[in-house]
Amino acid sequence: MRFTLLSRSYCHLCDEMLDAVRPLAALRGADVVVVDVDADPALEQAFGDRVPVLFAGDPAGGAELCHFRLDRARVEAALAGAQAASD
């Protein structure tokens, strides 16, 4: 499983979400990819100041799990669903 975190360099909420999601992902062998919204005009236009945003998968086809603050229950549910699908 892979999570995508839309972030920007000067965002303390982004840093907090990354610090919170990494250990959860690591427990289940999931990857966390950080994407700078300011480096992609389409993402910046779509999400603007609504970062951080965490997706299960990628922003184009994945499910948005949470924004601003980590929703631990949704992240754990996504991890459990991915585990069940691979069993």
Side-chain angles (χ1 to χ4, degrees):
M1 166 154 214
R2 180 175 59 117
F3 293 108
T4 302
L5 177 64
L6 299 184
S7 181
R8 58 175 36 106
S9 62
Y10 56 86
C11 171
H12 74 280
L13 291 176
C14 300
D15 296 336
E16 289 173 10
M17 188 177 290
L18 181 60
D19 289 345
V21 76
R22 274 190 171 147
L24 296 174
L27 285 173
R28 301 280 183 103
D31 295 321
V32 179
V33 176
V34 179
V35 175
D36 183 352
V37 295
D38 296 324
D40 184 323
L43 289 176
E44 204 286 322
Q45 182 178 1
F47 294 97
D49 290 333
R50 194 172 65 94
V51 293
V53 183
L54 184 66
F55 291 88
D58 61 54
E64 182 179 327
L65 298 176
C66 51
H67 63 275
F68 298 136
R69 301 276 184 207
L70 184 77
D71 184 333
R72 185 180 181 107
R74 289 196 72 192
V75 170
E76 289 177 341
L79 287 165
Q83 181 68 37
S86 69
D87 287 344

Coordinates of all heavy atoms in Angstrom, one line a residue:
M1 N 0.8 -1.2 0.0 CA 0.0 0.0 0.0 C 0.9 1.2 0.0 O 2.0 1.2 0.5 CB -0.9 0.0 1.2 CG -1.6 1.3 1.5 SD -3.1 1.1 2.4 CE -4.0 2.5 1.7
R2 N 0.3 2.3 -0.6 CA 1.1 3.5 -0.7 C 0.1 4.7 -0.3 O -1.0 4.7 -0.7 CB 1.6 3.8 -2.1 CG 2.4 5.1 -2.2 CD 3.0 5.2 -3.6 NE 1.9 5.2 -4.6 CZ 1.6 6.2 -5.4 NH1 2.4 7.2 -5.4 NH2 0.7 6.0 -6.3
F3 N 0.6 5.6 0.6 CA -0.1 6.8 0.9 C 0.6 7.9 0.1 O 1.8 7.9 0.0 CB 0.0 7.1 2.4 CG -0.8 6.1 3.2 CD1 -0.1 5.2 4.0 CD2 -2.1 6.2 3.3 CE1 -0.8 4.3 4.8 CE2 -2.9 5.3 4.1 CZ -2.2 4.4 4.8
T4 N -0.2 8.9 -0.2 CA 0.4 10.2 -0.8 C 0.0 11.3 0.1 O -1.2 11.5 0.4 CB -0.1 10.4 -2.2 OG1 0.3 9.3 -3.1 CG2 0.5 11.7 -2.8
L5 N 1.0 12.1 0.5 CA 0.7 13.2 1.4 C 1.0 14.5 0.5 O 2.1 14.7 0.1 CB 1.6 13.2 2.6 CG 1.5 14.4 3.5 CD1 0.1 14.5 4.1 CD2 2.5 14.3 4.6
L6 N 0.0 15.3 0.3 CA 0.2 16.6 -0.4 C 0.6 17.5 0.7 O 0.0 17.7 1.8 CB -1.1 17.0 -1.0 CG -1.7 16.2 -2.1 CD1 -2.9 16.8 -2.8 CD2 -0.6 15.8 -3.2
S7 N 1.7 18.2 0.5 CA 2.4 19.0 1.5 C 3.0 20.2 0.8 O 3.0 20.4 -0.4 CB 3.5 18.1 2.1 OG 4.1 18.8 3.1
R8 N 3.5 21.1 1.7 CA 4.4 22.2 1.2 C 5.4 22.5 2.3 O 5.3 22.1 3.4 CB 3.6 23.4 0.8 CG 2.7 24.0 1.9 CD 2.0 25.3 1.5 NE 1.6 25.4 0.1 CZ 0.4 25.4 -0.3 NH1 -0.6 25.2 0.5 NH2 0.1 25.4 -1.6
S9 N 6.5 23.1 1.8 CA 7.7 23.2 2.7 C 7.5 24.0 3.9 O 8.1 23.8 5.0 CB 8.9 23.8 1.9 OG 8.5 25.1 1.4
Y10 N 6.6 25.0 4.0 CA 6.5 25.9 5.1 C 5.2 25.6 5.9 O 4.7 26.5 6.6 CB 6.5 27.4 4.6 CG 5.4 27.7 3.6 CD1 4.1 28.0 4.0 CD2 5.7 27.6 2.3 CE1 3.2 28.3 3.1 CE2 4.8 27.9 1.3 CZ 3.5 28.2 1.7 OH 2.5 28.5 0.8
C11 N 4.8 24.4 5.9 CA 3.5 24.0 6.5 C 3.7 23.1 7.7 O 4.1 22.0 7.6 CB 2.7 23.3 5.5 SG 1.2 22.5 6.1
H12 N 3.5 23.7 8.9 CA 3.7 22.9 10.2 C 2.7 21.8 10.3 O 3.0 20.7 10.8 CB 3.7 23.8 11.4 CG 2.4 24.3 11.8 ND1 1.8 25.4 11.2 CD2 1.5 23.8 12.8 CE1 0.6 25.6 11.8 NE2 0.4 24.6 12.7
L13 N 1.5 22.0 9.8 CA 0.5 20.9 9.8 C 0.9 19.7 8.9 O 0.7 18.6 9.3 CB -0.9 21.4 9.4 CG -1.6 22.4 10.3 CD1 -2.9 22.8 9.7 CD2 -1.8 21.7 11.7
C14 N 1.6 20.1 7.8 CA 2.1 19.0 6.9 C 3.2 18.2 7.7 O 3.1 16.9 7.6 CB 2.7 19.6 5.7 SG 1.5 20.6 4.7
D15 N 4.1 18.9 8.4 CA 5.1 18.2 9.1 C 4.5 17.3 10.2 O 4.9 16.1 10.4 CB 6.1 19.1 9.8 CG 6.8 20.0 8.8 OD1 7.0 19.5 7.6 OD2 7.3 21.1 9.1
E16 N 3.5 17.8 10.9 CA 2.8 17.0 11.9 C 2.1 15.8 11.4 O 2.2 14.7 11.9 CB 1.8 17.9 12.7 CG 2.4 18.9 13.5 CD 1.4 19.9 14.1 OE1 0.2 19.7 14.1 OE2 1.9 20.9 14.7
M17 N 1.4 15.9 10.2 CA 0.7 14.8 9.6 C 1.8 13.7 9.2 O 1.6 12.5 9.4 CB -0.2 15.2 8.5 CG -1.0 14.0 8.0 SD -2.2 14.3 6.7 CE -3.4 15.3 7.6
L18 N 2.8 14.2 8.6 CA 3.9 13.2 8.1 C 4.4 12.5 9.3 O 4.6 11.2 9.3 CB 5.0 13.9 7.3 CG 6.1 13.1 6.8 CD1 5.5 12.0 5.8 CD2 7.1 13.9 6.1
D19 N 4.7 13.2 10.4 CA 5.3 12.5 11.6 C 4.3 11.5 12.2 O 4.7 10.5 12.8 CB 5.6 13.6 12.6 CG 6.9 14.4 12.3 OD1 7.6 14.0 11.4 OD2 7.1 15.4 12.9
A20 N 3.0 11.8 12.0 CA 2.0 10.9 12.6 C 1.7 9.7 11.7 O 1.4 8.6 12.2 CB 0.7 11.7 12.8
V21 N 1.7 9.9 10.4 CA 1.4 8.8 9.5 C 2.6 7.8 9.3 O 2.3 6.6 9.1 CB 0.8 9.3 8.1 CG1 1.9 9.8 7.2 CG2 0.0 8.2 7.4
R22 N 3.8 8.3 9.3 CA 4.9 7.4 9.0 C 4.9 6.2 9.9 O 5.1 5.0 9.4 CB 6.2 8.2 9.1 CG 6.6 8.8 7.9 CD 8.0 9.4 7.9 NE 8.4 9.8 6.6 CZ 9.2 10.9 6.4 NH1 9.7 11.5 7.5 NH2 9.5 11.2 5.2
P23 N 4.8 6.3 11.3 CA 4.8 5.1 12.1 C 3.7 4.1 11.8 O 3.9 2.9 11.8 CB 4.8 5.6 13.5 CG 4.9 7.0 13.5 CD 4.7 7.5 12.1
L24 N 2.5 4.6 11.5 CA 1.4 3.7 11.2 C 1.7 3.0 9.9 O 1.4 1.8 9.8 CB 0.1 4.6 11.0 CG -0.4 5.3 12.3 CD1 -1.6 6.2 11.9 CD2 -0.8 4.3 13.3
A25 N 2.2 3.7 8.9 CA 2.5 3.0 7.6 C 3.6 2.0 7.8 O 3.5 0.9 7.3 CB 2.9 4.1 6.6
A26 N 4.6 2.3 8.6 CA 5.8 1.4 8.8 C 5.3 0.1 9.4 O 5.9 -0.9 9.1 CB 6.8 2.1 9.6
L27 N 4.4 0.2 10.3 CA 3.9 -1.0 11.0 C 3.3 -2.0 10.0 O 3.3 -3.2 10.3 CB 2.8 -0.7 12.1 CG 3.4 -0.1 13.3 CD1 2.2 0.4 14.2 CD2 4.3 -1.0 14.1
R28 N 2.8 -1.6 8.9 CA 2.1 -2.4 7.9 C 2.9 -2.5 6.6 O 2.4 -3.1 5.6 CB 0.7 -1.9 7.6 CG -0.2 -1.9 8.8 CD -0.8 -3.3 9.1 NE -1.7 -3.2 10.2 CZ -3.0 -3.3 10.1 NH1 -3.6 -3.4 8.9 NH2 -3.8 -3.2 11.2
G29 N 4.1 -2.0 6.6 CA 4.9 -2.0 5.4 C 4.4 -1.1 4.3 O 4.7 -1.4 3.1
A30 N 3.7 -0.1 4.6 CA 3.2 0.8 3.6 C 4.2 2.0 3.3 O 5.0 2.3 4.2 CB 1.8 1.4 4.0
D31 N 4.2 2.5 2.1 CA 5.0 3.6 1.8 C 4.3 4.9 1.9 O 3.0 5.0 1.8 CB 5.5 3.5 0.3 CG 6.3 2.3 0.1 OD1 7.2 2.0 0.9 OD2 6.2 1.7 -1.0
V32 N 5.0 6.0 2.3 CA 4.4 7.3 2.3 C 5.2 8.2 1.3 O 6.4 8.3 1.5 CB 4.5 8.0 3.7 CG1 3.9 9.4 3.7 CG2 3.8 7.1 4.7
V33 N 4.5 8.7 0.3 CA 5.2 9.5 -0.7 C 4.7 11.0 -0.4 O 3.5 11.2 -0.3 CB 4.8 9.1 -2.1 CG1 5.3 10.1 -3.2 CG2 5.2 7.7 -2.4
V34 N 5.6 11.9 -0.3 CA 5.3 13.3 -0.1 C 5.4 14.0 -1.4 O 6.4 14.0 -2.1 CB 6.2 13.9 1.0 CG1 5.9 15.4 1.2 CG2 6.2 13.1 2.3
V35 N 4.3 14.8 -1.7 CA 4.3 15.5 -3.0 C 4.1 17.0 -2.6 O 3.2 17.4 -1.9 CB 3.1 15.1 -3.9 CG1 3.0 16.0 -5.1 CG2 3.3 13.6 -4.3
D36 N 5.0 17.9 -3.1 CA 4.9 19.3 -2.8 C 3.9 19.9 -3.8 O 4.1 19.9 -5.0 CB 6.3 19.9 -3.1 CG 6.3 21.4 -2.8 OD1 5.2 22.0 -2.5 OD2 7.4 22.0 -2.8
V37 N 2.7 20.4 -3.2 CA 1.7 20.9 -4.1 C 2.2 22.1 -4.9 O 1.6 22.4 -6.0 CB 0.4 21.3 -3.3 CG1 -0.2 20.1 -2.7 CG2 0.6 22.3 -2.3
D38 N 3.1 22.9 -4.3 CA 3.6 24.1 -5.0 C 4.4 23.7 -6.3 O 4.7 24.6 -7.1 CB 4.4 24.9 -4.1 CG 3.5 25.5 -2.9 OD1 2.4 25.8 -3.2 OD2 4.0 25.5 -1.8
A39 N 4.9 22.5 -6.4 CA 5.6 22.0 -7.6 C 4.8 21.6 -8.7 O 5.3 21.3 -9.8 CB 6.6 20.9 -7.2
D40 N 3.5 21.5 -8.5 CA 2.5 21.0 -9.5 C 1.4 21.9 -9.6 O 0.5 22.0 -8.7 CB 2.0 19.6 -9.1 CG 1.1 18.9 -10.1 OD1 0.3 19.6 -10.8 OD2 1.2 17.7 -10.3
P41 N 1.3 22.7 -10.6 CA 0.3 23.7 -10.8 C -1.2 23.2 -10.7 O -2.0 23.8 -10.1 CB 0.5 24.4 -12.1 CG 1.9 24.1 -12.4 CD 2.3 22.8 -11.8
A42 N -1.4 22.0 -11.2 CA -2.7 21.4 -11.1 C -3.1 21.1 -9.7 O -4.3 21.3 -9.3 CB -2.8 20.2 -12.0
L43 N -2.2 20.5 -8.9 CA -2.5 20.2 -7.5 C -2.6 21.4 -6.7 O -3.5 21.5 -5.8 CB -1.3 19.3 -7.0 CG -1.3 17.9 -7.5 CD1 -0.1 17.1 -6.9 CD2 -2.6 17.1 -7.1
E44 N -1.8 22.4 -7.0 CA -1.9 23.7 -6.2 C -3.2 24.4 -6.5 O -3.9 24.9 -5.6 CB -0.7 24.6 -6.6 CG -0.4 25.7 -5.6 CD -1.4 26.8 -5.5 OE1 -1.9 27.2 -6.5 OE2 -1.7 27.2 -4.4
Q45 N -3.7 24.3 -7.7 CA -5.0 24.9 -8.0 C -6.1 24.1 -7.4 O -7.1 24.7 -6.8 CB -5.2 24.9 -9.5 CG -6.5 25.6 -9.9 CD -6.7 25.7 -11.4 OE1 -5.9 25.3 -12.2 NE2 -7.8 26.3 -11.8
A46 N -6.0 22.8 -7.4 CA -7.1 22.0 -6.8 C -7.1 22.0 -5.3 O -8.2 22.0 -4.7 CB -6.9 20.5 -7.3
F47 N -6.0 22.1 -4.6 CA -6.0 22.0 -3.2 C -5.6 23.3 -2.5 O -5.9 23.5 -1.3 CB -5.0 20.8 -2.7 CG -5.6 19.5 -3.2 CD1 -5.1 18.9 -4.3 CD2 -6.6 18.9 -2.5 CE1 -5.6 17.7 -4.8 CE2 -7.1 17.7 -2.9 CZ -6.6 17.1 -4.0
G48 N -4.9 24.2 -3.2 CA -4.6 25.5 -2.6 C -4.0 25.4 -1.2 O -3.0 24.8 -0.9
D49 N -4.8 26.1 -0.3 CA -4.4 26.1 1.1 C -4.9 24.9 1.9 O -4.7 24.8 3.1 CB -4.9 27.4 1.8 CG -4.1 28.6 1.3 OD1 -2.9 28.5 0.9 OD2 -4.7 29.7 1.3
R50 N -5.6 24.0 1.3 CA -6.2 22.9 2.0 C -5.2 21.7 2.0 O -5.4 20.6 1.5 CB -7.5 22.4 1.3 CG -8.3 21.4 2.2 CD -9.6 21.1 1.6 NE -9.6 20.4 0.3 CZ -9.7 19.1 0.2 NH1 -9.8 18.4 1.3 NH2 -9.6 18.5 -0.9
V51 N -4.0 22.0 2.6 CA -3.0 21.0 2.8 C -2.7 21.0 4.3 O -2.8 22.0 5.0 CB -1.7 21.3 2.0 CG1 -2.1 21.1 0.5 CG2 -1.1 22.6 2.3
P52 N -2.2 19.9 4.8 CA -1.9 18.6 4.2 C -3.2 17.8 3.8 O -4.2 18.0 4.5 CB -1.1 17.9 5.2 CG -1.6 18.4 6.5 CD -1.9 19.8 6.3
V53 N -3.0 17.0 2.8 CA -4.1 16.1 2.4 C -3.5 14.7 2.2 O -2.4 14.6 1.5 CB -4.8 16.5 1.1 CG1 -5.9 15.6 0.7 CG2 -5.3 18.0 1.1
L54 N -4.0 13.7 2.8 CA -3.5 12.4 2.8 C -4.4 11.5 2.0 O -5.6 11.5 2.2 CB -3.4 11.8 4.2 CG -2.7 10.4 4.3 CD1 -1.3 10.5 3.8 CD2 -2.8 9.8 5.7
F55 N -3.8 10.8 1.0 CA -4.6 9.9 0.1 C -4.1 8.5 0.3 O -2.9 8.2 0.5 CB -4.3 10.2 -1.4 CG -5.0 11.5 -1.8 CD1 -4.3 12.7 -1.6 CD2 -6.2 11.5 -2.3 CE1 -4.9 13.9 -2.0 CE2 -6.8 12.7 -2.7 CZ -6.1 13.9 -2.6
A56 N -5.0 7.5 0.2 CA -4.6 6.1 0.0 C -4.5 6.0 -1.5 O -5.4 6.1 -2.2 CB -5.7 5.2 0.5
G57 N -3.2 5.8 -1.9 CA -2.9 5.8 -3.3 C -2.5 7.1 -3.8 O -1.8 7.9 -3.0
D58 N -2.8 7.5 -5.0 CA -2.4 8.8 -5.5 C -3.6 9.8 -5.6 O -4.7 9.4 -5.6 CB -1.6 8.7 -6.8 CG -2.5 8.1 -7.9 OD1 -3.6 8.7 -8.1 OD2 -2.1 7.2 -8.5
P59 N -3.3 11.1 -5.7 CA -4.4 12.1 -5.7 C -5.3 11.9 -6.9 O -6.5 12.1 -6.8 CB -3.7 13.4 -5.8 CG -2.4 13.2 -5.2 CD -2.0 11.8 -5.6
A60 N -4.8 11.4 -8.0 CA -5.7 11.2 -9.2 C -6.7 10.1 -9.0 O -7.9 10.3 -9.5 CB -4.8 11.0 -10.4
G61 N -6.3 9.0 -8.4 CA -7.3 7.9 -8.4 C -7.5 7.3 -7.0 O -8.3 6.4 -6.8
G62 N -6.8 7.8 -6.0 CA -6.9 7.3 -4.7 C -8.0 7.9 -3.9 O -8.7 8.8 -4.3
A63 N -8.2 7.4 -2.7 CA -9.2 7.9 -1.8 C -8.6 8.9 -0.8 O -7.6 8.6 -0.2 CB -9.8 6.8 -1.0
E64 N -9.2 10.1 -0.7 CA -8.8 11.1 0.3 C -9.2 10.6 1.6 O -10.3 10.3 1.9 CB -9.4 12.4 0.0 CG -8.9 13.5 1.0 CD -9.5 14.9 0.7 OE1 -9.7 15.2 -0.5 OE2 -9.7 15.6 1.7
L65 N -8.2 10.5 2.5 CA -8.4 10.0 3.9 C -8.7 11.1 4.9 O -9.5 11.0 5.8 CB -7.3 9.1 4.3 CG -7.0 7.8 3.5 CD1 -5.8 7.1 4.1 CD2 -8.2 6.9 3.5
C66 N -7.9 12.2 4.7 CA -8.1 13.3 5.7 C -7.3 14.5 5.2 O -6.4 14.4 4.3 CB -7.6 12.9 7.1 SG -5.9 12.1 7.1
H67 N -7.6 15.6 5.8 CA -6.8 16.8 5.5 C -6.7 17.6 6.8 O -7.5 17.4 7.7 CB -7.4 17.7 4.4 CG -8.8 18.2 4.7 ND1 -9.9 17.5 4.4 CD2 -9.2 19.4 5.2 CE1 -11.0 18.2 4.8 NE2 -10.6 19.3 5.2
F68 N -5.7 18.4 6.9 CA -5.3 19.3 8.0 C -4.8 18.4 9.2 O -3.7 18.7 9.6 CB -6.4 20.2 8.5 CG -6.9 21.2 7.5 CD1 -8.2 21.4 7.3 CD2 -6.0 21.9 6.7 CE1 -8.6 22.4 6.4 CE2 -6.4 22.9 5.8 CZ -7.7 23.1 5.6
R69 N -5.5 17.5 9.7 CA -5.1 16.6 10.8 C -5.3 15.2 10.4 O -6.2 14.8 9.7 CB -5.9 16.9 12.0 CG -5.9 18.3 12.5 CD -4.7 18.5 13.4 NE -4.6 19.9 13.9 CZ -3.6 20.5 14.2 NH1 -2.4 20.0 14.1 NH2 -3.6 21.8 14.7
L70 N -4.4 14.3 11.0 CA -4.5 12.9 10.7 C -5.8 12.3 11.3 O -6.1 12.5 12.5 CB -3.3 12.2 11.2 CG -3.2 10.7 10.9 CD1 -2.8 10.5 9.5 CD2 -2.3 10.0 11.9
D71 N -6.5 11.6 10.5 CA -7.7 10.8 11.0 C -7.1 9.4 11.1 O -7.2 8.6 10.2 CB -8.8 10.9 10.0 CG -10.1 10.2 10.4 OD1 -10.0 9.2 11.2 OD2 -11.2 10.6 10.0
R72 N -6.7 9.1 12.3 CA -6.0 7.8 12.6 C -7.0 6.6 12.2 O -6.5 5.6 11.7 CB -5.6 7.7 14.0 CG -4.8 6.5 14.3 CD -4.4 6.5 15.8 NE -3.6 5.3 16.1 CZ -2.3 5.2 16.3 NH1 -1.6 6.3 16.2 NH2 -1.7 4.1 16.5
A73 N -8.2 6.7 12.6 CA -9.2 5.6 12.3 C -9.3 5.3 10.8 O -9.3 4.2 10.4 CB -10.5 6.0 12.9
R74 N -9.4 6.4 10.0 CA -9.5 6.2 8.5 C -8.2 5.6 8.0 O -8.2 4.7 7.1 CB -9.8 7.5 7.8 CG -11.3 7.9 8.1 CD -11.8 8.9 7.2 NE -12.0 8.3 5.9 CZ -12.3 9.0 4.8 NH1 -12.3 10.3 4.9 NH2 -12.5 8.4 3.7
V75 N -7.0 6.0 8.5 CA -5.8 5.5 8.0 C -5.6 4.0 8.4 O -5.3 3.2 7.6 CB -4.6 6.3 8.6 CG1 -3.2 5.6 8.3 CG2 -4.6 7.7 8.0
E76 N -6.0 3.7 9.6 CA -5.9 2.3 10.1 C -6.9 1.4 9.3 O -6.6 0.3 8.9 CB -6.2 2.2 11.6 CG -5.0 2.7 12.4 CD -5.2 2.7 13.8 OE1 -6.3 2.7 14.3 OE2 -4.2 2.8 14.6
A77 N -8.1 2.0 9.0 CA -9.1 1.2 8.2 C -8.5 1.0 6.8 O -8.7 -0.1 6.2 CB -10.4 1.9 8.1
A78 N -7.9 1.9 6.2 CA -7.3 1.8 4.8 C -6.2 0.7 4.9 O -6.1 -0.1 4.0 CB -6.8 3.1 4.3
L79 N -5.4 0.8 5.9 CA -4.3 -0.2 6.0 C -4.9 -1.6 6.2 O -4.4 -2.6 5.6 CB -3.4 0.1 7.2 CG -2.5 1.3 7.0 CD1 -1.9 1.8 8.3 CD2 -1.4 1.0 6.0
A80 N -5.9 -1.8 7.0 CA -6.5 -3.1 7.3 C -7.2 -3.6 6.0 O -7.1 -4.8 5.7 CB -7.6 -3.0 8.4
G81 N -7.8 -2.7 5.2 CA -8.4 -3.1 4.0 C -7.4 -3.5 3.0 O -7.6 -4.5 2.2
A82 N -6.3 -2.9 2.9 CA -5.2 -3.3 2.0 C -4.6 -4.6 2.4 O -4.3 -5.5 1.6 CB -4.1 -2.2 2.0
Q83 N -4.5 -4.8 3.7 CA -4.0 -6.1 4.2 C -5.0 -7.2 3.9 O -4.5 -8.3 3.4 CB -3.8 -6.0 5.7 CG -3.2 -7.3 6.3 CD -1.8 -7.6 5.9 OE1 -1.0 -6.6 5.7 NE2 -1.4 -8.8 5.7
A84 N -6.2 -7.0 4.1 CA -7.3 -8.0 3.8 C -7.3 -8.4 2.3 O -7.4 -9.5 1.9 CB -8.6 -7.6 4.2
A85 N -7.1 -7.3 1.5 CA -7.1 -7.6 0.0 C -5.9 -8.4 -0.5 O -6.0 -9.1 -1.5 CB -7.2 -6.2 -0.7
S86 N -4.8 -8.3 0.3 CA -3.6 -9.0 -0.2 C -3.6 -10.4 0.4 O -2.7 -11.2 0.0 CB -2.4 -8.2 0.2 OG -2.2 -8.2 1.6
D87 N -4.4 -10.7 1.4 CA -4.4 -12.1 2.0 C -5.1 -13.1 1.1 O -5.9 -12.9 0.2 CB -5.1 -12.0 3.3 CG -4.2 -11.4 4.4 OD1 -3.0 -11.2 4.1 OD2 -4.7 -11.0 5.4

